[in-house]
Amino acid sequence: MKDLLRLRTSLKEEIEIILNAQCKMEAEASQKYLAMASWLDRNGFAKSAEYLYAQAEEERQHFLKIFKYITEVGGTAITPIVGEVPQEYPTFKSVFEAALQSEIAVTNAINKIVAKCREVNDYATEDFMMWYVTEQREEEKNARRALELFDLIDSESPTGKFVLDKEIAKIGEAENE
Ligand code: FEO
């Protein structure tokens, strides 16, 4: 039955599998950002928390976009099961270090999908994934920018914390302009 269904789509099973894996990764990224936002919020960083709440929402959109694409091209989109994500962070800065690491991991995964698409001549999916290539460039840049601010501003002093919270929030505001 599975083989008969597959005859009705040009989507190769190996591409369907890695797209579903990417759905899971994006859904996980959304959950991670949500937990980071919660940590920021409860530790007095309400403005930068808003930025990461918005990031959580963006990652959910990234997840849904791939999820719907799989169905559109005749595959089976599988609702991902997301495991535990970190809820606690040692410092204000460590939240943004984790965010950058997460974005780099997503970029690497997307690059692997594009490489696989080329290998199996799936140009439609490659074309679809180019949106993510561009998006990741932006997301990594923003994550690096947040960390750069920690190099410029003392995150240990109360004034520094206040300024950092405001400045990090501006990264999100600039993104939505
Ligand atoms: Fe959709 Fe930032 O990974």
Side-chain angles (χ1 to χ4, degrees):
M1 188 62 184
K2 179 82 177 159
D3 286 348
L4 261 180
L5 283 174
R6 191 150 294 282
L7 284 177
R8 296 189 200 143
T9 173
S10 61
L11 183 70
K12 294 185 174 64
E13 192 172 8
E14 56 195 317
I15 298 294
E16 184 181 12
I17 289 168
I18 54 176
L19 288 178
N20 270 308
Q22 193 59 32
C23 276
K24 184 181 165 83
M25 197 172 198
E26 301 287 347
E28 208 164 61
S30 177
Q31 298 293 74
K32 278 189 211 164
Y33 274 126
L34 197 59
M36 288 173 189
S38 167
W39 186 93
L40 291 171
D41 222 354
R42 67 180 181 269
N43 283 282
F45 306 107
K47 290 190 185 331
S48 49
E50 279 308 318
Y51 171 44
L52 293 196
Y53 281 127
Q55 282 299 112
E57 195 50 43
E58 264 199 36
E59 297 298 353
R60 180 165 168 78
Q61 293 307 317
H62 293 177
F63 148 57
L64 276 175
K65 199 174 161 87
I66 302 175
F67 196 77
K68 288 179 181 170
Y69 174 81
I70 296 170
T71 311
E72 183 193 317
V73 294
T76 302
I78 299 163
T79 311
I81 297 166
V82 177
E84 287 287 313
V85 294
Q87 303 292 328
E88 295 299 334
Y89 289 89
T91 60
F92 188 13
K93 185 180 180 182
S94 71
V95 171
F96 293 92
E97 285 170 334
L100 178 59
Q101 286 314 311
S102 177
E103 291 299 348
I104 290 171
V106 170
T107 302
N108 289 338
I110 284 168
N111 287 342
K112 276 189 192 156
I113 296 175
V114 172
K116 192 71 189 169
C117 288
R118 287 185 185 174
E119 194 188 311
V120 301
N121 300 334
D122 184 345
Y123 303 116
T125 305
E126 180 185 336
D127 181 54
F128 170 75
M129 290 308 297
M130 292 321 279
W131 183 87
Y132 286 84
V133 171
T134 308
E135 181 70 9
Q136 276 314 115
R137 203 174 69 209
E138 189 66 21
E139 299 230 308
E140 264 196 49
K141 184 190 84 182
N142 288 343
R144 267 193 301 277
R145 176 69 189 138
L147 275 184
E148 280 164 12
L149 290 169
F150 282 89
D151 290 336
L152 298 170
I153 304 162
D154 175 18
S155 62
E156 295 303 314
S157 78
T159 310
K161 283 179 182 166
F162 178 76
V163 175
L164 270 167
D165 188 35
K166 273 206 311 194
E167 290 300 315
I168 290 168
K170 282 184 193 165
I171 299 172
E173 288 162 16
E175 197 178 52
N176 295 326
E177 273 171 7

